[in-house]
């Protein structure tokens, strides 16, 4: 496994992985994914045998990002990073790559809080368990404009 910074030439594969993981991940076009990549302060890819099999996009506060979940954290936290999305090709899920990715995110940030959301409806019970195992706790819930109920989660890093 190789972990590396993402570049714009990764967009096609990122979109394919993202779309294969809807509704756990929000539906995105290549244009919107490109904007998310440009806003990301940490954008990591996971390669196995030279193939991009997973990625994450992490953002800092004070961006013009209209996501209801990002806005929730930006309105309440000053010193945070927000995991906008993390996804893996189906064949590479459950192999420990997500844990390695999160460890690298934490290594690269100086933020006090690592924040994200997980779908409760439609349910994503595996993600809830994963995040609880990694020290994330629920700090709120909300219904998004698309009608999803999400658990807003944070992990204190310092």
């Amino acid at each position: 496994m190789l972990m590396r910074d993402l570049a714009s030439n990764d967009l096609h594969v990122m979109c394919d992985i993202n779309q294969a993981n809807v509704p756990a991940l929000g539906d995105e076009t290549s244009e919107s994914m490109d904007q998310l990549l440009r806003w990301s302060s940490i954008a990591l890819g996971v390669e196995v045998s030279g193939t991009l099999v997973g990625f994450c996009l992490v953002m800092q506060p004070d961006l013009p990002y209209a996501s209801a979940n990002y806005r929730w954290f930006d309105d309440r936290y000053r010193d945070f990073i927000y995991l906008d999305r993390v996804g893996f090709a189906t064949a590479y899920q459950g192999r420990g790559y997500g844990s390695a990715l999160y460890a690298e995110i934490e290594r690269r940030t100086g933020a006090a809080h690592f924040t994200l959301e997980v779908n409760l409806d439609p349910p994503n019970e595996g993600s809830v368990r994963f995040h609880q195992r990694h020290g994330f706790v629920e700090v709120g819930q909300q219904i998004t404009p698309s009608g999803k109920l999400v658990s807003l989660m944070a992990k204190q890093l310092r």
Side-chain angles (χ1 to χ4, degrees):
M1 174 192 74
L2 168 71
M3 205 168 309
R4 64 170 175 81
D5 292 322
L6 292 168
S8 59
N9 62 344
D10 294 313
L11 278 170
H12 177 73
V13 176
M14 291 167 56
C15 286
D16 288 347
I17 292 169
N18 189 88
Q19 295 310 107
N21 284 283
V22 171
L25 296 179
D27 187 23
E28 297 293 340
T29 66
S30 59
E31 292 79 16
S32 61
M33 187 71 83
D34 182 51
Q35 179 62 68
L36 296 174
L37 178 60
R38 284 186 273 123
W39 278 333
S40 295
S41 57
I42 300 171
L44 294 172
V46 174
E47 280 188 9
V48 175
S49 301
T51 300
L52 185 65
V53 300
F55 74 97
C56 72
L57 299 176
V58 180
M59 299 172 184
Q60 294 180 322
D62 301 321
L63 292 171
Y65 188 24
S67 159
N69 299 318
Y70 173 82
R71 297 262 47 97
W72 193 94
F73 289 110
D74 199 46
D75 289 345
R76 289 164 179 81
Y77 291 78
R78 288 297 89 202
D79 188 10
F80 73 98
I81 54 170
Y82 171 73
L83 179 69
D84 183 68
R85 65 195 58 238
V86 57
F88 285 90
T90 305
Y92 295 89
Q93 295 174 3
R95 295 184 177 197
Y97 299 134
S99 295
L101 199 57
Y102 280 40
E104 181 63 14
I105 292 167
E106 290 180 27
R107 189 187 71 73
R108 288 184 180 213
T109 188
H113 297 95
F114 186 170
T115 66
L116 50 86
E117 82 281 341
V118 176
N119 290 347
L120 297 176
D121 187 24
N124 192 341
E125 295 167 5
S127 185
V128 171
R129 286 190 304 274
F130 173 88
H131 289 98
Q132 289 171 339
R133 278 195 315 271
H134 285 83
F136 290 84
V137 296
E138 185 174 89
V139 293
Q141 289 186 3
Q142 74 175 353
I143 296 175
T144 66
S146 65
K148 294 179 183 178
L149 173 63
V150 297
S151 171
L152 299 148
M153 303 181 90
K155 178 179 180 179
Q156 189 163 344
L157 299 177
R158 56 176 173 85

